[in-house]
């Protein structure tokens, strides 16, 4: 990649370090989009033994890039995001990808299409882990950062996405167990 284009890409990707998510960290600050993507990528690496049939390098690329549109739009929490918001983000990504040099433009166009279709094992793994990372992060944050609607959302978030895999369903069940315990402890304090 030409140096100037590379530097433009780095400037754009730096926004993901600055753009915060709705989620809070255990230390009491908002999580950045980049932090979410990094840990999601780490999760993908450490579940590769559970999915020997999958191209985990591709899953890792999906995890790294899945929220790149938020460099343009910022994060919109799932419970507030509309179809129009998703369309705007998708259009921004399409414009950005089409402006990249080859082979990146073609490779990333195909990767984003695959992620959107959610038909391959790789796309399903990435999407399930994306949901589980958010649930795990909420469990790690102080419950005082949870909105009232998140008590139910926490228990249901990602259930559809994990349904394809016994391993992912077990991960969701464990995350739910932790959520339930956290909620029980909070209710015991009241």
């Amino acid at each position: 990649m030409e140096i100037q284009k590379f530097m433009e890409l780095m400037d754009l990707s730096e926004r993901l370090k600055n753009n915060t998510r709705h989620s809070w960290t255990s230390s009491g600050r908002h999580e950045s989009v980049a932090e979410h993507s990094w840990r999601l990528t780490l999760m993908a690496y450490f579940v590769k033994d559970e999915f020997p049939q999958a191209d985990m390098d591709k899953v890792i690329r999906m995890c790294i890039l899945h929220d790149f549109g938020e460099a343009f739009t910022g994060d919109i929490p799932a419970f507030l995001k509309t179809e129009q918001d998703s369309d705007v983000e998708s259009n921004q990504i399409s414009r950005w990808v089409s402006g990249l040099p080859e082979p990146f433009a073609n490779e990333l166009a195909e990767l984003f299409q695959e992620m959107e279709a959610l038909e391959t094992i790789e796309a399903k793994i990435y999407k399930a882990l994306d949901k589980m990372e958010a649930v795990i992060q909420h469990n790690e944050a102080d419950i005082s950062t949870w909105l009232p609607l998140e008590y139910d959302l926490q228990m249901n978030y990602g259930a559809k996405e994990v349904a394809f895999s016994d391993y992912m369903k077990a991960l969701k069940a464990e995350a739910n167990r932790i959520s339930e315990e956290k909620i029980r402890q909070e209710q015991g304090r009241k």
Side-chain angles (χ1 to χ4, degrees):
M1 181 177 291
E2 189 266 326
I3 296 295
Q4 189 56 42
K5 191 69 173 175
F6 181 82
M7 294 306 287
E8 289 171 14
L9 176 59
M10 291 303 99
D11 287 344
L12 183 60
S13 66
E14 199 256 350
R15 292 182 194 173
L16 298 176
K17 293 166 120 183
N18 292 323
N19 289 352
T20 57
R21 292 169 47 86
H22 169 70
S23 299
W24 293 79
T25 68
S26 61
S27 68
R29 65 173 176 76
H30 277 285
E31 168 190 46
S32 75
V33 176
E35 289 169 317
H36 161 70
S37 296
W38 172 81
R39 186 157 79 165
L40 177 56
T41 302
L42 186 67
M43 291 169 71
Y45 175 75
F46 281 111
V47 301
K48 69 180 182 177
D49 60 326
E50 298 296 332
F51 300 97
Q53 75 281 24
D55 177 350
M56 291 308 284
D57 287 340
K58 181 185 279 188
V59 174
I60 287 170
R61 287 190 302 275
M62 289 176 173
C63 292
I64 290 170
L65 294 162
H66 81 287
D67 275 343
F68 207 89
E70 293 181 13
F72 303 102
T73 64
D75 176 63
I76 301 169
F79 53 85
L80 295 176
K81 197 168 196 173
T82 66
E83 189 174 327
Q84 182 180 359
D85 294 327
S86 295
D87 290 345
V88 167
E89 188 174 316
S90 181
N91 289 336
Q92 290 281 8
I93 281 291
S94 293
R95 275 196 294 278
W96 172 68
V97 166
S98 68
L100 291 171
E102 291 301 339
F104 305 104
N106 187 51
E107 288 174 6
L108 292 183
E110 289 177 6
L111 189 73
F112 279 104
Q113 287 172 352
E114 184 175 344
M115 287 189 291
E116 182 69 27
L118 285 174
E119 294 172 351
T120 64
I121 187 70
E122 291 82 7
K124 290 175 183 178
I125 293 168
Y126 126 73
K127 192 61 156 182
L129 289 175
D130 182 35
K131 300 295 186 178
M132 290 302 89
E133 198 286 329
V135 170
I136 291 167
Q137 186 61 57
H138 266 70
N139 281 342
E140 292 168 337
D142 191 282
I143 200 162
S144 68
T145 65
W146 292 22
L147 299 174
L149 66 83
E150 290 176 305
Y151 285 76
D152 287 332
L153 182 62
Q154 184 74 353
M155 303 309 296
N156 300 310
Y157 197 66
K160 179 181 78 172
E161 289 80 6
V162 302
F164 78 98
S165 159
D166 288 340
Y167 181 83
M168 291 294 187
K169 288 187 283 190
L171 178 61
K172 176 64 176 153
E174 178 60 11
N176 280 5
R177 184 194 66 73
I178 294 167
S179 296
E180 288 167 351
E181 178 60 29
K182 190 173 190 92
I183 292 167
R184 222 178 354 266
Q185 288 175 0
E186 176 65 12
Q187 291 171 339
R189 288 187 204 122
K190 291 181 178 182

